[in-house]
Amino acid sequence: TFRHKEYEDYKAGRKKMPPELGEQFPIIKEVLNLLSVNIYEIDGFEADDIIGTLAQFAEKNGIEVFIVTGDRDALQLASDNIKVITKKGVSETAIYNKESFIEEFGITPTQYIDVKGLMGDKSDNIPGVPGVGEKTAFKLIATYGSMEGVLSNINEISGKKLKENLETYSEQAIFSKKLATIMTE
């Protein structure tokens, strides 16, 4: 994908797809075709990007959207008319729209991209800023509004090591935010 072209180590730690699963895709596509279910694939883009693009297109055309996924990255797409249904814990699910996301996390869904940029994402091998975990990332974004707000207010942030890491890895944080952003165009 375009993310792999920009960052060679993107998703580098992931296990390869088992060959048995890959062999099933042509059969699954054939069955979906027979059931008149549309299949969308675009070279260079991930499923998240296609889902994000279709969801925003539908929303702009007055259609209520439900995205059902185990991938929490999709939470950045939550809005008034886009609901993201995802896992919460082991056996529970949660439905997030913009309002419920803000209520639970104290930031907007689009600010979640800034959180991911700061803390990184192990499953996608997005580096973030060393020493910044989820709790710290949420607190920083809630306080300063964005990645750029955090980086332009480093002097106000307490904690010597946190300040050092934010200064040292500021470009990596901005790049990580770019990698974590679902393309919607």
Side-chain angles (χ1 to χ4, degrees), residues 107-128:
I107 61 171
T108 67
T110 53
Q111 288 174 307
Y112 185 59
I113 304 166
D114 296 88
V115 167
K116 297 288 272 189
L118 285 173
M119 70 181 216
D121 185 336
K122 286 185 172 129
S123 68
D124 289 339
N125 201 34
I126 296 174

Side-chain angles (χ1 to χ4, degrees), residues 18-143:
E20 307 82 48
L21 178 60
E23 292 169 359
Q24 295 176 44
F25 284 154
I27 299 164
I28 293 168
K29 288 179 182 180
E30 189 177 325
V31 169
L32 291 173
N33 190 28
L34 290 170
L35 295 171
S36 298
V37 175
N38 294 329
I39 300 170
Y40 297 96
E41 297 176 293
I42 302 172
D43 286 340
F45 292 91
E46 295 182 66
D48 287 352
D49 301 312
I50 296 170
I51 291 167
T53 299
L54 291 172
Q56 290 212 344
F57 176 81
E59 181 181 44
K60 287 175 188 170
N61 288 284
I63 299 169
E64 187 175 24
V65 177
F66 292 87
I67 299 171
V68 181
T69 179
D71 187 349
R72 294 179 61 84
D73 292 346
L75 291 172
Q76 65 187 266
L77 300 170
S79 69
D80 294 332
N81 288 315
I82 299 174
K83 281 116 182 126
V84 179
I85 304 168
T86 190
K87 290 190 294 185
K88 185 176 185 176
V90 177
S91 59
E92 280 185 64
T93 58
I95 301 173
Y96 293 101
N97 63 8
K98 183 178 179 181
E99 185 180 318
S100 62
F101 186 90
I102 292 169
E103 191 176 299
E104 182 162 334
F105 297 105
I107 61 171
T108 67
T110 53
Q111 288 174 307
Y112 185 59
I113 304 166
D114 296 88
V115 167
K116 297 288 272 189
L118 285 173
M119 70 181 216
D121 185 336
K122 286 185 172 129
S123 68
D124 289 339
N125 201 34
I126 296 174
V129 175
V132 175
E134 185 175 50
K135 186 176 176 183
T136 300
F138 271 105
K139 181 180 173 189
L140 289 170
I141 298 305
T143 303

